[in-house]
Amino acid sequence: MTSESYIFLAGASRGVGREIAQYLRAQQLKVKALVRTAAVAAELEKTGIQVVVGDALNIEDVEGAILKDEPIHTVISTIGGLPTDGERADYPGNRNLIDAAVKAGVQKFILVSSIGAGNSVVALSPQVLAALGTVLVEKDKAEQHLIASGLTYTIIRPGGLKSEPATGNGVLTEDPHIIGSINRADVAQLVVRSLNSDRANNKILSAIDRNMLFGPREFAEFTTPSGRE
């Protein structure tokens, strides 16, 4: 990644995406963010982030933001709809981002998905699956579109998200059976660690707090040391 390259962040308005934005800026990385409202744009611009106002569901907005003169090294997406939303962005919004990233020739795409998508459906109880099934189908479609795109990718599937300060106990694993909770700030740390990790390339990883597992289970942690390895 060169000093002129940008990290393109979709989902910086709230939650994990906002936490990622803070960590990226703390590392003095150049960040461009796609947000839907001018109010959020103004907040992010104060932190030194270049902001484009637009909607991920609109392919013209997405291409206008990504296919510019500034080189984009990595796209990070945390977008997804709320239960009250009409059309959720989980699949169509991420599909637009992935397609634009292909056109732009970006080096990597990091997608924040959810435990329960794809083969990690085995981690969920029948009750949780019944409540989240339709959402997880959309997230799985986004994952599959990314895998088929030809881009170098990392897919991170967090467990139940909490809005508390980082504990430093967030871990990644390739074990799809793992389920637990994790604070959003810890997910953001794991995403940023994966940014320059070649070991995380083309991996699908679950993210949980090692002290917030739902039931005892042995699993192998997936490490992403800082720097390229």
Side-chain angles (χ1 to χ4, degrees):
M1 183 170 172
T2 71
S3 60
E4 298 304 312
S5 299
Y6 278 79
I7 307 299
F8 187 90
L9 179 58
S13 298
R14 61 176 187 251
V16 173
R18 180 61 72 94
E19 297 283 352
I20 291 171
Q22 293 173 358
Y23 282 120
L24 292 174
R25 288 302 299 146
Q27 293 187 14
Q28 302 299 309
L29 294 171
K30 298 174 76 171
V31 182
K32 180 188 284 190
L34 178 69
V35 300
R36 287 190 291 178
T37 67
V40 172
E43 292 174 13
L44 293 175
E45 285 171 341
K46 290 177 182 177
T47 69
I49 292 174
Q50 182 178 335
V51 181
V52 178
V53 177
D55 192 335
L57 290 172
N58 186 316
I59 186 61
E60 287 79 14
D61 287 354
V62 173
E63 290 189 346
I66 293 179
L67 301 178
K68 290 292 186 181
D69 294 335
E70 305 95 346
I72 304 294
H73 180 275
T74 301
V75 173
I76 302 174
S77 175
T78 68
I79 65 171
L82 296 171
T84 54
D85 289 348
E87 184 180 10
R88 297 177 59 93
D90 298 88
Y91 174 55
N94 280 311
R95 180 189 61 213
N96 288 341
L97 290 165
I98 293 162
D99 292 348
V102 171
K103 287 186 178 181
V106 305
Q107 298 299 303
K108 191 168 185 175
F109 195 111
I110 301 177
L111 175 64
V112 178
S113 182
S114 176
I115 287 179
N119 65 343
S120 65
V121 68
V122 296
L124 301 187
S125 68
Q127 294 85 353
V128 173
L129 184 58
L132 299 179
T134 56
V135 173
L136 295 173
V137 167
E138 293 295 296
K139 291 185 179 297
D140 180 59
K141 287 164 67 176
E143 291 185 6
Q144 294 306 314
H145 192 73
L146 175 56
I147 292 167
S149 71
L151 292 167
T152 297
Y153 66 85
T154 302
I155 295 170
I156 295 179
R157 298 167 171 167
L161 293 169
K162 296 185 175 182
S163 296
E164 301 290 340
T167 67
N169 293 317
V171 294
L172 298 170
T173 180
E174 293 184 84
D175 188 339
H177 296 86
I178 290 301
I179 184 67
S181 295
I182 185 169
N183 294 346
R184 288 177 170 84
D186 287 299
V187 177
Q189 287 184 356
L190 295 172
V191 169
V192 174
R193 271 187 226 155
S194 299
L195 186 61
N196 290 317
S197 171
D198 288 346
R199 189 164 185 267
N201 289 350
N202 302 324
K203 294 290 186 179
I204 303 175
L205 305 163
S206 293
I208 43 85
D209 189 299
R210 62 167 60 92
N211 295 329
M212 299 183 195
L213 288 173
F214 297 167
R217 183 181 177 88
E218 295 294 324
F219 67 96
E221 293 185 17
F222 182 92
T223 56
T224 54
S226 59
R228 306 194 77 87
E229 72 288 336

